[in-house]
Amino acid sequence: MDAEAQESFRQFVANRSSALLRTAVLLTGGDRHAGEDLLQNALIKAAGRWNRIDEPEAYVRQILYRQQVSRWRLKWPRRELSVAEPPEAGAGPDGTAAAELRLVLRGALARLTARQRTVLVLRYFEDLPEADVARVLGCSVGTVRSTTHRSLARLRALAPELAALGPDASARPSSRDHSPVEVRP
């Protein structure tokens, strides 16, 4: 790697590593250390091909997803989750509910399978369409849809407190309205 490419790589890492780390931590179920390892491995792979990469962030994200898929295919034993960290700064009386909710969500995500967690991160955190998720994971769109549905159902079962985040189910309009409609000629 020449000096110009090396400087370009350093700038990329300095500017985008925090966003990439958030994605990596989510992909690993909230395990920051595993997320850091995942990101470091992806950056090492990207550095080796840096001169040939057109879209660096997309390339590194693709490596993250594929590495995570490889990890859950290996079925590594689950590591212990450290919770000895204090809540975020400024989480006084007003911020404790948000911090508690994040902990509940993190615990529920950690209890999903790696495949379920990966599909949810790609669909909702990365906001990828189902077709792109299917392409990244190497499966069909139907598999992505069914995995998303089952993952959300399991997430709701594991953490019913999360239902307070969405609109009340009774207030949602029904997609199938069977009320009579008057039709005039």
Side-chain angles (χ1 to χ4, degrees):
M1 185 183 309
D2 63 351
E4 184 180 326
Q6 193 172 16
E7 182 58 31
S8 170
F9 181 73
R10 284 184 181 160
Q11 280 287 358
F12 171 76
V13 171
N15 293 335
R16 300 305 304 153
S17 63
S18 62
L20 292 168
L21 180 60
R22 282 192 299 272
T23 300
V25 169
L26 284 171
L27 286 170
T28 58
D31 185 347
R32 183 170 177 86
H33 299 293
E36 289 171 351
D37 290 344
L38 187 66
L39 178 59
Q40 288 301 316
N41 290 335
L43 290 173
I44 289 169
K45 288 183 178 185
R49 301 183 64 100
W50 191 252
N51 292 330
R52 296 175 289 218
I53 299 174
D54 293 328
E55 296 181 36
E57 185 160 356
Y59 187 82
V60 172
R61 286 183 184 276
Q62 186 77 18
I63 294 171
L64 285 173
Y65 306 146
R66 289 185 177 170
Q67 280 187 315
Q68 184 59 22
V69 167
S70 295
R71 283 184 176 190
W72 53 258
R73 282 186 179 151
L74 290 175
K75 298 186 181 205
W76 285 2
R78 181 174 227 122
R79 294 184 180 188
E80 184 176 327
L81 178 65
S82 172
V83 293
E85 299 173 3
E88 289 77 16
D94 297 337
T96 55
E100 186 176 321
L101 192 57
R102 280 192 300 275
L103 289 173
V104 168
L105 180 60
R106 181 173 149 180
L109 282 172
R111 292 178 58 195
L112 295 176
T113 65
R115 182 180 188 101
Q116 289 173 327
R117 189 171 46 250
T118 301
V119 168
L120 290 180
V121 167
L122 292 175
R123 281 288 290 132
Y124 298 108
F125 182 74
E126 292 295 322
D127 201 24
L128 292 178
E130 291 170 339
D132 289 351
V133 174
R135 185 181 44 76
V136 167
L137 297 179
C139 62
S140 70
V141 173
T143 301
V144 171
R145 286 180 183 157
S146 64
T147 304
T148 302
H149 176 75
R150 289 185 188 112
S151 302
L152 289 173
R154 182 144 187 250
L155 195 62
R156 287 182 190 110
L158 291 171
E161 314 71 58
L162 298 176
L165 292 178
D168 185 18
S170 62
R172 287 187 214 145
S174 173
S175 60
R176 295 182 181 174
D177 187 9
H178 299 290
S179 59
V181 177
E182 183 180 340
V183 179
R184 295 183 184 183

